[in-house]
Amino acid sequence: MTTMEKVKVLIIGSGPAGYTAAIYTSRANLQPVLYEGIEPGGQLTTTTEVENFPGYPEGISGPEMMADIRRQAERFGAELRSGIITRVDLSSRPFHVVVDGDKEIETESVIISTGASAKYLGLESEARFRGQGVSACATCDGFFYRKKDVAVVGGGDTACEEATYLASLCRKVYLIVRKPFLRASKAMQERVFNTENIEVLFEHNTVEVLGDDMMGVSGALLRKNDGTEHKIDISGFFLAIGHHPNTELFAGQIELDAEGYIKTVPGTSRTNIEGVFAAGDVKDPHYRQAITAAGSGCIAALDCERFLLK
Ligand code: NDP
């Protein structure tokens, strides 16, 4: 049976942006309801050490930090629920939202903080070995490849960071870069070039991830831009080619940019729909930091509070 619930603030997503919005709106007595989605705690739960979030002079693990922020939101009465929003209707206020396909909610405002997800190349063989040697998170899975040979795809800061991290665990790391140069910052590039067991393969693309269903990944077939092909022997194949925003749910209803990020009025969290706010990586292709996401969750909460007071 369908049940209808009425709320003032509905927060969709549970990274630092969503939880911070929950802290602020619950302290403002708006009784927010937050749905945690597919990955409770968001991308930070797949990180190891966070050393640049102010207030943790010794650093803290990503999952621990998210558990702390979550507890802080709960302390002020935010309702944090597990569940996935499966449909939204933002065409008129109050907005209608469906959770897990059947539960209906009517809400006066929405804060979208659904974050972003890692991109994959789209190869069939890559999908086949996902979780069996193919990963988009070196910090989560690198441990399984100690003293083995692995490859990282990408030429940005993430790829360089993941390659140097893996180089500290693995015997050898291939960095597969499609251009003749790295896009990463100079400092990150230097780290890569100064790490003995990283071999950068410029102007290379992956044709196929090789392996079998029993043992997982055993290699990759690469093609150089001059057309020549060769194989490398690896046990792990890591993607670090960027992220895409989790906005599929809102497509056609809310204004997105060419890459699918939610557009907001500069300096605010306001979207093109009054009463709908966006915070964190779902609207930010540039900074993507825990602290910037948390800050933008605060902005969304304050914008939302002002909107509800009107
Ligand atoms: P970027 O978009 O910066 O880089 C993506 C990389 O993947 C590029 O080298 C790109 O190649 C490559 N790529 C994309 N698609 C493919 C494909 N289909 N096949 C092969 N290669 C592909 O993403 P990042 O995640 O590295 O960084 C995102 C943002 O986060 C950046 O602003 C970055 O500076 C920041 N960041 C900062 C860090 C830090 O300061 N410590 C750490 C991590 C990220 P091409 O160059 O040819 O387009």
Side-chain angles (χ1 to χ4, degrees):
M1 199 184 73
T2 309
T3 47
M4 173 74 87
E5 183 186 4
K6 291 184 187 202
V7 303
K8 282 192 199 130
V9 183
L10 183 78
I11 302 169
I12 310 177
S14 57
Y19 285 151
T20 304
I23 294 173
Y24 273 78
T25 48
S26 53
R27 286 190 83 244
N29 208 21
L30 295 173
Q31 291 117 24
V33 170
L34 177 151
Y35 277 90
E36 296 193 306
I38 300 165
E39 191 177 38
Q43 292 179 80
L44 276 164
T45 57
T46 62
T47 326
T48 47
E49 201 68 358
V50 180
E51 293 182 323
N52 51 10
F53 199 95
Y56 294 103
E58 309 305 325
I60 184 167
S61 82
E64 247 182 295
M65 187 171 86
M66 291 321 298
D68 278 354
I69 305 181
R70 187 182 193 285
R71 248 199 331 273
Q72 199 172 345
E74 268 184 326
R75 186 182 145 206
F76 299 111
E79 260 214 62
L80 312 177
R81 300 177 182 168
S82 57
I84 295 164
I85 305 297
T86 44
R87 198 152 48 83
V88 293
D89 179 356
L90 306 175
S91 58
S92 62
R93 260 198 338 263
F95 306 113
H96 275 85
V97 169
V98 179
V99 185
D100 293 330
D102 65 350
K103 182 180 167 56
E104 276 190 53
I105 294 184
E106 211 174 72
T107 182
E108 288 171 41
S109 64
V110 178
I111 295 177
I112 301 172
S113 50
T114 46
S117 303
K119 278 186 193 163
Y120 286 82
L121 294 172
L123 301 171
E124 207 179 292
S125 53
E126 173 195 53
R128 180 174 157 211
F129 295 117
R130 220 187 261 193
Q132 261 200 299
V134 170
S135 164
C137 180
T139 42
C140 329
D141 300 329
F143 183 76
F144 304 116
Y145 303 92
R146 274 173 306 164
K147 299 194 168 53
K148 295 186 174 162
D149 294 352
V150 299
V152 177
V153 185
D157 279 316
T158 305
C160 291
E161 206 168 72
E162 305 227 323
T164 40
Y165 171 70
L166 287 168
S168 68
L169 297 169
C170 304
R171 192 172 60 177
K172 171 153 192 169
V173 179
Y174 295 97
L175 185 59
I176 305 169
V177 185
R178 65 181 175 183
K179 289 207 175 120
F181 55 85
L182 294 171
R183 180 203 285 233
S185 62
K186 279 280 170 284
M188 283 309 300
Q189 294 195 24
E190 259 163 44
R191 262 173 139 188
V192 164
F193 294 133
N194 292 331
T195 306
E196 249 175 38
N197 58 338
I198 299 179
E199 185 182 342
V200 186
L201 300 172
F202 283 116
E203 299 189 74
H204 278 77
N205 279 288
T206 310
V207 180
E208 196 183 345
V209 182
L210 307 168
D212 63 62
D213 292 335
M214 279 290 285
M215 302 297 290
V217 170
S218 63
L221 178 63
L222 308 182
R223 183 180 297 137
K224 214 177 165 194
N225 288 0
D226 64 11
T228 55
E229 290 188 355
H230 70 103
K231 255 172 58 178
I232 52 171
D233 294 326
I234 47 166
S235 314
F237 184 81
F238 290 88
L239 285 310
I241 58 170
H243 290 78
H244 67 82
N246 298 320
T247 50
E248 291 82 359
L249 188 62
F250 314 101
Q253 299 199 55
I254 201 162
E255 222 179 305
L256 307 176
D257 72 9
E259 255 97 62
Y261 289 87
I262 295 178
K263 278 193 185 175
T264 49
V265 177
T268 79
S269 64
R270 298 205 310 271
T271 68
N272 65 314
I273 302 173
E274 223 193 339
V276 180
F277 307 88
D281 285 12
V282 75
K283 57 157 279 189
D284 171 20
H286 301 295
Y287 302 105
R288 306 178 44 241
Q289 300 299 301
I291 184 66
T292 52
S296 97
C298 158
I299 291 171
L302 296 177
D303 286 345
C304 183
E305 196 184 332
R306 264 171 224 145
F307 163 76
L308 290 172
L309 278 176
K310 264 201 282 182

